[in-house]
Amino acid sequence: MKIKIILSLCLFIIFLPIVVFAQTPFIYPAPDGIITSPFGDRVHPITGNTRFHAGIDIGYDYGTPIQSAADGIIRYYGPADGFGNAIVVWHPKLNMGTLYGDVGLIQGLHEGQEVYQGDVIGIISPVGDSTGGHLHFEVHLNDIDFHVNGAIVTDPLPLLEGTMPVEESFIGSDAHFFNFDWSKIADIALPVKDIIDKIATTSTEGIQNIKPYVLNLFMVVVLIDITLTFCIISISDNYVLNDAIKVLIKKLISNKL
């Protein structure tokens, strides 16, 4: 059992990056929300103008607590034009940031503070330009303290649903980060896990099968060593009976028999 645990731990450490990257990176900022405005070009509900929407709007009731989508560090926490208030969190482990707009702030939170996935960081409030209670949610590739023209953004919805984005899905200047297709990593994660389990099981069974032979071989080697030692003592003039007994006892102790 111990051998199987050790082998599993070693293989787990080797393939840990694949397992980590295959997991869903974000959680919804609050449950039971409805997407009221998608990512991309749209007709603004207040101005009537067509313009690019850098995130998604999720409808919630006023007073709904908003959670950090992942572990991170607060980059911005305060008033923002168009949003009333905004919160920007950078997630170093993911190399991505999230923005939460049209929210009320919580006393005690501040820029530079570390937050964890699920921590409440704001409340849906009647602030900003809106037609009802909602959260404006963005995902940034670059580490910025607020939504500016240089932001690199992507549609947050696939991330919230558990799909890692590919480089082509990012929109903005110099939108280059991913050097490989994350979806392929996700596709091989399960087969890799199966391989790890099979290797660990097979290795454990193999070791269990040869264990009796290894023990028997060790016993034979020890007996040969003791026999040769006795023969050497018997034909040597340098040992008396008491010395011979002491040598044999030392041999027995050293071989832990």
Side-chain angles (χ1 to χ4, degrees):
M1 184 63 182
K2 291 182 178 179
I3 297 173
K4 185 174 183 179
I5 293 174
I6 294 172
L7 287 172
S8 298
L9 286 174
C10 292
L11 293 169
F12 174 75
I13 292 172
I14 293 172
F15 292 102
L16 179 60
I18 293 176
V19 175
V20 169
F21 285 127
Q23 294 176 343
T24 303
F26 293 140
I27 62 170
Y28 270 86
D32 303 324
I34 299 174
I35 307 300
T36 58
S37 186
F39 176 84
D41 292 333
R42 67 163 184 173
V43 177
H44 195 279
I46 295 178
T47 66
N49 297 325
T50 299
R51 65 181 186 182
F52 180 73
H53 192 218
I56 59 174
D57 290 344
I58 310 175
Y60 294 113
D61 294 332
Y62 289 129
T64 301
I66 296 302
Q67 306 171 344
S68 178
D71 298 349
I73 301 168
I74 297 177
R75 285 285 190 257
Y76 183 83
Y77 201 84
D81 291 341
F83 294 129
N85 297 308
I87 306 165
V88 176
V89 180
W90 177 248
H91 311 286
K93 294 180 181 179
L94 300 172
N95 276 338
M96 289 186 239
T98 48
L99 180 146
Y100 312 78
D102 302 310
V103 295
L105 305 180
I106 297 176
Q107 187 175 3
L109 294 180
H110 55 82
E111 295 168 13
Q113 184 171 344
E114 186 174 3
V115 293
Y116 297 94
Q117 187 178 68
D119 285 353
V120 175
I121 57 176
I123 299 173
I124 297 297
S125 302
V127 296
D129 301 329
S130 67
T131 58
H134 76 283
L135 169 72
H136 176 78
F137 182 68
E138 297 181 8
V139 172
H140 298 165
L141 178 59
N142 48 340
D143 185 4
I144 59 175
D145 60 3
F146 191 60
H147 175 69
V148 294
N149 290 332
I152 302 172
V153 296
T154 190
D155 187 353
L157 190 57
L159 283 160
L160 293 173
E161 297 295 340
T163 302
M164 292 301 295
V166 294
E167 182 176 345
E168 290 75 13
S169 68
F170 283 91
I171 300 173
S173 59
D174 299 325
H176 301 287
F177 173 73
F178 298 107
N179 295 320
F180 50 87
D181 188 345
W182 289 78
S183 62
K184 293 181 180 178
I185 296 295
D187 290 340
I188 66 173
L190 185 58
V192 167
K193 179 183 179 301
D194 292 338
I195 292 173
I196 292 175
D197 291 341
K198 289 178 180 178
I199 292 175
T201 301
T202 303
S203 300
T204 303
E205 292 175 352
I207 292 174
Q208 293 294 335
N209 290 335
I210 67 172
K211 185 189 294 185
Y213 300 102
V214 173
L215 182 60
N216 292 337
L217 179 61
F218 175 76
M219 293 293 296
V220 170
V221 171
V222 170
L223 290 174
I224 292 174
D225 181 50
I226 294 175
T227 302
L228 292 175
T229 301
F230 181 78
C231 292
I232 292 172
I233 292 173
S234 300
I235 63 176
S236 175
D237 296 331
N238 296 328
Y239 292 98
V240 295
L241 181 61
N242 288 339
D243 292 336
I245 293 174
K246 290 179 180 179
V247 170
L248 288 174
I249 291 174
K250 287 181 179 179
K251 278 288 183 182
L252 290 171
I253 293 175
S254 64
N255 286 291
K256 298 180 181 180
L257 291 176

